Amino acid sequence: MRTKRAISFGLLAGVLTVCGSMQAHHGGSEYDTKNLKTLNGTVTEYYWANPHCQIFLDVKDDRGKAVNWGIEMLAPAVLKRAGWNSQLLHPGDVVTVTIAPSKKGTPVGMIRKLVLPGGKELTGGELGEQPPRQ
């Protein structure tokens, strides 16, 4: 009985450790979800790969200097359900994104919405969201 209890305790501790680290990575704690920011910029890179897709944008700051922003997104499978695909963006495309910015003030954020040059809008693929109707 003691051995069973020790094994159960060990398994529970292991599960809690793994779940805790997953929450730290996926909990969004580094992004300010209450103060969204909208950026207009030029795509410099677009990565469509697991575990997270990414967009890199050159955005002009208040002085007119280009700042390269890194925009984190969800996995390709989640984004695909929201209407995204691997050929959606290309370097040179001018887009508008709404993001949850970094709490540290660095030029990174988590996507909430993308507006393409033609005006088409896509969400960031949050679970439970459906793509906008055309």
Side-chain angles (χ1 to χ4, degrees), residues 20-88:
S21 64
M22 284 177 67
Q23 177 63 23
H25 177 74
H26 291 280
S29 60
E30 62 270 4
Y31 298 114
D32 185 353
T33 57
K34 294 184 176 154
N35 295 300
L36 301 182
K37 184 174 186 120
T38 299
L39 304 170
N40 297 305
T42 303
V43 175
T44 58
E45 296 178 62
Y46 175 53
Y47 289 107
W48 183 264
N50 282 313
H52 299 282
C53 297
Q54 294 182 335
I55 302 171
F56 292 90
L57 293 177
D58 275 346
V59 178
K60 292 191 178 175
D61 66 12
D62 297 336
R63 297 179 187 162
K65 180 183 173 199
V67 176
N68 194 252
W69 280 76
I71 313 299
E72 183 179 353
M73 300 184 297
L74 297 175
V78 177
L79 291 171
K80 194 170 186 179
R81 288 190 294 269
W84 296 69
N85 67 62
S86 64
Q87 296 300 309
L88 183 67

